Amino acid sequence: MAYPMDVLTDDEVVVVHKHPHIKALIGPGLVLLVATALGAWGLLWSTGDSVSDTTATVVGIGIGVVWLAALVWFVVRFVSWRTTHFVITDRRVMFRQGIITRSGIDIPVLRINSVQFRHGLVDRILRTGTLIVESASDDPLEFDDIPRVEKVHALLYARLDDRLDDDEPTPR
């Protein structure tokens, strides 16, 4: 949890710090795996006796280009996944994303009107989903692929409820 520590205010406590669900890497990972398997098969085929040297060279270059493209796509998606942070503290909700150009949003807990979550069958199986946060002045913000979205929803609602309880005057 090293990332959010440098942006916290005094006495602010991190409650949840998550990256998007690992399912974001399944597609690029499978493409890289298939490209590797097909590339290995293609190189074995191209070294056969019935294949000319020119054909073997063209096949080798083509396989190398395709495999390198699959590797670059996987690495970019992995770095993007690693540099995306969803953080809930006792005071705010923070979302940061980006590799070269970073963007982010902070929502004070006291400005949150409602918290919802949504997930379909596949998301339920993978225990992930979309968290929807509606604040006082903006359209609802949707945070996709939040791991254990129901638990995060409950924690955020509890934080909201705690902050509202702290602001109510005590009865005399």
Side-chain angles (χ1 to χ4, degrees), residues 2-36:
Y3 171 72
M5 297 307 176
D6 62 346
V7 296
L8 298 179
T9 61
D10 294 338
D11 301 327
E12 191 171 10
V13 178
V14 173
V15 178
V16 174
H17 177 201
K18 298 206 178 264
H19 296 285
H21 194 272
I22 197 75
K23 81 174 192 174
L25 298 177
I26 291 174
L30 287 175
V31 168
L32 181 60
L33 185 66
V34 168
T36 301

Side-chain angles (χ1 to χ4, degrees), residues 78-166:
F78 178 78
V79 171
S80 176
W81 173 79
R82 270 309 273 163
T83 59
T84 300
H85 300 270
F86 179 78
V87 181
I88 299 174
T89 71
D90 58 341
R91 298 181 187 167
R92 59 187 163 156
V93 174
M94 297 186 294
F95 183 76
R96 303 281 191 274
Q97 67 181 359
I99 299 170
I100 296 170
T101 304
R102 298 215 23 100
S103 64
I105 187 167
D106 292 1
I107 306 168
V109 171
L110 288 177
R111 300 242 182 214
I112 295 174
N113 290 337
S114 68
V115 182
Q116 305 171 34
F117 68 91
R118 177 181 61 235
H119 53 184
L121 180 61
V122 173
D123 285 343
R124 289 180 69 189
I125 291 169
L126 296 175
R127 295 174 21 189
T128 184
T130 300
L131 187 70
I132 304 161
V133 177
E134 184 178 350
S135 64
S137 62
D138 295 326
D139 291 335
L141 297 170
E142 295 188 6
F143 303 103
D144 296 323
D145 297 330
I146 301 295
R148 300 181 186 264
V149 70
E150 289 184 52
K151 184 177 179 182
V152 172
H153 171 266
L155 284 170
L156 184 55
Y157 184 78
R159 284 287 157 204
L160 178 59
D161 194 39
D162 290 346
R163 295 295 289 195
L164 291 175
D165 288 345
D166 290 346

